[in-house]
Amino acid sequence: MQRIERMKDHLLILKDILKECKSRKKNVPMVWTDYQKVFDRMLHRWTMKFLELIGINNNIILFSKKAMSYQKTSMCVHTEGKLKDTEDIEI
């Protein structure tokens, strides 16, 4: 359940940022990445090499590498009628 709460927190923060930018009439460049579909299916170093090969800006690649270094996961098990989460696991 902690994972869901963190996701809600992130979405609420993003909502506030977007409201503020809209009220100030500022553009907000954004990229949405579905990590489950992209990064979980191939090695991170392959993903970074692919981004380099197709000519993605180096700043974006460096940001992605840094973001992936913070990536964590957790496991959720349904047992005895209860849902149990593990602590965060570094990837």
Side-chain angles (χ1 to χ4, degrees):
M1 288 302 186
Q2 292 173 357
R3 190 178 197 175
I4 293 170
E5 291 302 316
R6 285 193 308 260
M7 185 171 54
K8 281 197 246 180
D9 289 343
H10 289 272
L11 289 172
L12 289 172
I13 290 168
L14 180 59
K15 182 180 174 184
D16 288 343
I17 291 169
L18 292 174
K19 273 186 187 177
E20 185 68 22
C21 290
K22 186 175 181 179
S23 71
R24 293 179 184 212
K25 297 183 180 177
K26 299 285 183 184
N27 290 328
V28 182
M30 299 178 83
V31 175
W32 295 91
T33 304
D34 185 344
Y35 282 97
Q36 184 176 5
K37 299 293 183 206
V38 178
F39 295 114
D40 287 349
R41 302 265 191 286
M42 64 191 298
L43 296 173
H44 289 178
R45 69 177 185 272
W46 291 2
T47 304
M48 294 301 105
K49 186 64 179 172
F50 174 74
L51 294 176
E52 290 171 13
L53 289 171
I54 64 170
I56 297 297
N57 182 294
N58 196 47
N59 288 333
I60 294 172
I61 294 171
L62 291 173
F63 170 80
S64 297
K65 284 181 183 178
K66 186 70 170 177
M68 282 191 276
S69 74
Y70 294 114
Q71 211 173 10
K72 295 180 174 136
T73 191
S74 64
M75 293 180 9
C76 185
V77 179
H78 192 270
T79 182
E80 300 171 8
K82 295 179 182 176
L83 204 56
K84 295 183 180 180
D85 274 334
T86 65
E87 296 293 322
D88 283 343
I89 302 166
E90 289 187 27
I91 298 175

